[in-house]
Amino acid sequence: MIAETIDPIGTTFCNGAVDAWGVNALDEAGFEGTTHGLFSRISQLSSLGFMATALMGAYVGGVDIAWPWLLGAAGFLLSALAGTLLHERSRDAAGQGHRAMRAAVHAKIGSGLRQGFGIRSIRLLSLAEAITLGVMAPYWLQWPLLFKDGYGTGVWVVGWVFCVLGLGKMLGAEAAARILTLTSARPRLLSGLTIGTGLTLLGAGFLAGRPNQALVLLFLMNAFQGAREPLALAWFNEEVAADARATMLSFRGMVATAGGAIGLLLGGYVTDLWGIPFAWKVAGALCFLTVPCYLALNRRSKFTSAV
Amino acid sequence: MSGLAQQVSTHSIVRRYYGVWLVYSLAGGFLGGVYPLFLRSRGLNQ
């Protein structure tokens, strides 16, 4: 439980900060490419990294199920080292005392929450992420159990299933990178991708007893998700000003994590009562709740970052 | 900043941005699939 508490804190600190650093640095350097193309490539690299080490983790886990934790910890230490080497400490921050730093952090958290809840587009896009993560979080904990039992083999099969799902996500991200979206078409496109995600998860729930067919549907679901995520992240980034980006991305991460936590509790309860297939059917149907969040932003001012 | 220098700088930032995400993802993947199995092996089956 202690490890479980520390892990999301670290994750929340990292996710928003890395993206904000990258996007702000590129803005300052005059980057002229599309942000959703950039996020699509990052999604593909992430999928590739996950696939490679998930496969290793599954084989290592077959020997001793605790060893993947050690490998993961070593990897995170390595990425922390890489991040530290790339980090340029600002003179302002270096010169501040602890008290001033603490006051600045408190003020930033307060203003971040006010901004996040105060701007409609930020609120709705964050809510959409919360619903999506709430729906997907239980699924991520359940598919390894379902496929390991369904195929009746060792832990290694989970690594290969992970690769299939990762490949689906990479293909989806590739499609997103090639899509030239008009700003006005974005709500409908994201709604369509979300409906696709919901329908395929719903279908996987009906076919949970047939692993091969369920895997095909989950592959498609990951393709829809792989296309949706970079488009949604690019949209969110366009809604915030550069100086508020790290805070707003962290706000988005915080709201999504809260959605994930609620989803895990409710999903776990539903699974206990009626089993994994039924929980996936419910999750697939709940995916559709995201659609109004996107469509509500159909008519609005083009830029809402006056924060 | 000249066009070429700007392009070099942009490429360098993109490379580093991709690099950090790749290393971070490599670390997270080890537990990706086996985590639920780990929980179940330790008796958490509800």
Side-chain angles (χ1 to χ4, degrees), chain A residues 82-141:
Chain A
T84 308
L85 291 175
L86 290 170
H87 179 64
E88 291 169 12
R89 181 181 285 268
S90 77
R91 289 193 184 90
D92 291 347
Q96 280 183 351
H98 283 297
R99 189 170 292 178
M101 185 75 85
R102 219 170 24 233
V105 169
H106 278 159
K108 196 74 181 168
I109 290 171
S111 71
L113 287 171
R114 277 193 300 277
Q115 286 171 15
F117 285 116
I119 301 169
R120 186 167 174 265
S121 56
I122 300 292
R123 206 167 52 230
L124 285 171
L125 289 174
S126 301
L127 178 64
E129 288 307 311
I131 295 169
T132 305
L133 198 61
V135 163
M136 302 302 286
Y139 147 81
W140 273 107
L141 286 178

Side-chain angles (χ1 to χ4, degrees), chain A residues 31 39-40 47 65 84 93 96 99 110 124 128 139 155 162 166 192 212 220 224 275 284 288:
Chain A
F31 179 69
F39 292 134
S40 298
S47 297
I65 197 82
T84 308
Q96 280 183 351
R99 189 170 292 178
L124 285 171
Y139 147 81
V155 179
F162 198 104
N212 287 338
L220 289 173
F224 284 124
F288 304 140

Side-chain angles (χ1 to χ4, degrees), chain A residues 252-279:
Chain A
R252 179 184 188 256
M254 182 195 76
V255 175
T257 305
I262 295 167
L264 280 172
L265 282 172
L266 293 178
Y269 183 68
V270 170
T271 307
D272 272 346
L273 289 179
W274 295 293
I276 291 175
F278 184 80

Side-chain angles (χ1 to χ4, degrees), chain A residues 4 18-19 25-26 29-31 39 41-42 45-46 50 53-54 65 68-69 72 75-76 79 86 141 144 149 158 272, chain B residues 6 10 13-14 16-18 20-38 40-42 46:
Chain A
E4 284 301 302
V18 172
D19 283 329
L26 286 169
F31 179 69
F39 292 134
R41 293 285 170 258
I42 285 170
L45 278 171
S46 298
F50 271 115
T53 48
I65 197 82
W69 286 85
F76 281 126
S79 52
L86 290 170
L141 286 178
D149 295 343
V158 169
D272 272 346
Chain B
Q6 188 179 11
T10 307
I13 294 166
V14 169
R16 280 193 284 168
Y17 190 17
Y18 287 172
V20 169
W21 261 115
L22 180 63
V23 176
Y24 185 58
S25 311
L26 283 170
F30 285 114
L31 275 172
V34 299
Y35 176 64
L37 302 175
F38 172 83
R40 189 164 69 174
S41 74
R42 296 296 187 265
Q46 290 294 307

Side-chain angles (χ1 to χ4, degrees), chain A residues 1-298:
Chain A
M1 287 297 282
I2 293 168
E4 284 301 302
T5 312
I6 296 168
D7 179 50
I9 293 173
T11 306
T12 307
F13 270 125
C14 189
N15 286 353
V18 172
D19 283 329
W21 164 76
V23 176
N24 284 349
L26 286 169
D27 274 354
E28 283 171 23
F31 179 69
E32 289 170 351
T34 60
T35 44
H36 72 262
L38 195 72
F39 292 134
S40 298
R41 293 285 170 258
I42 285 170
S43 171
Q44 287 177 316
L45 278 171
S46 298
S47 297
L48 202 63
F50 271 115
M51 283 158 65
T53 48
L55 203 56
M56 287 166 66
Y59 277 100
V60 170
V63 180
D64 188 324
I65 197 82
W67 286 1
W69 286 85
L70 289 175
L71 289 171
F76 281 126
L77 283 173
L78 193 68
S79 52
L81 189 67
T84 308
L85 291 175
L86 290 170
H87 179 64
E88 291 169 12
R89 181 181 285 268
S90 77
R91 289 193 184 90
D92 291 347
Q96 280 183 351
H98 283 297
R99 189 170 292 178
M101 185 75 85
R102 219 170 24 233
V105 169
H106 278 159
K108 196 74 181 168
I109 290 171
S111 71
L113 287 171
R114 277 193 300 277
Q115 286 171 15
F117 285 116
I119 301 169
R120 186 167 174 265
S121 56
I122 300 292
R123 206 167 52 230
L124 285 171
L125 289 174
S126 301
L127 178 64
E129 288 307 311
I131 295 169
T132 305
L133 198 61
V135 163
M136 302 302 286
Y139 147 81
W140 273 107
L141 286 178
Q142 290 160 352
W143 73 256
L145 302 172
L146 197 90
F147 282 107
K148 185 176 178 294
D149 295 343
Y151 285 120
T153 53
V155 179
W156 58 268
V157 78
V158 169
W160 287 107
V161 172
F162 198 104
C163 286
V164 172
L165 301 179
L167 192 65
K169 200 167 179 189
M170 283 177 76
L171 290 174
E174 184 60 34
R178 291 167 189 271
I179 291 172
L180 287 171
T181 347
L182 290 171
T183 309
S184 59
R186 210 155 31 186
R188 274 172 287 144
L189 180 60
L190 284 172
S191 299
L193 291 169
T194 305
I195 290 169
T197 302
L199 287 176
T200 43
L201 184 56
L202 195 72
F206 280 105
L207 294 171
R210 299 172 188 172
N212 287 338
Q213 293 173 23
L215 185 58
V216 170
L217 283 170
L218 292 181
F219 172 85
L220 289 173
M221 187 194 79
N222 275 274
F224 284 124
Q225 275 291 89
R228 189 201 67 85
E229 282 172 7
L231 291 168
L233 188 55
W235 187 0
F236 190 90
N237 266 274
E238 287 170 26
E239 295 293 333
V240 294
D243 59 347
R245 189 163 280 137
T247 313
M248 288 299 97
L249 283 169
S250 295
F251 175 83
R252 179 184 188 256
M254 182 195 76
V255 175
T257 305
I262 295 167
L264 280 172
L265 282 172
L266 293 178
Y269 183 68
V270 170
T271 307
D272 272 346
L273 289 179
W274 295 293
I276 291 175
F278 184 80
W280 285 8
K281 290 172 200 168
V282 173
L286 289 177
C287 257
F288 304 140
L289 291 177
T290 313
V291 174
C293 298
Y294 294 133
L295 293 181
L297 294 170
N298 228 345

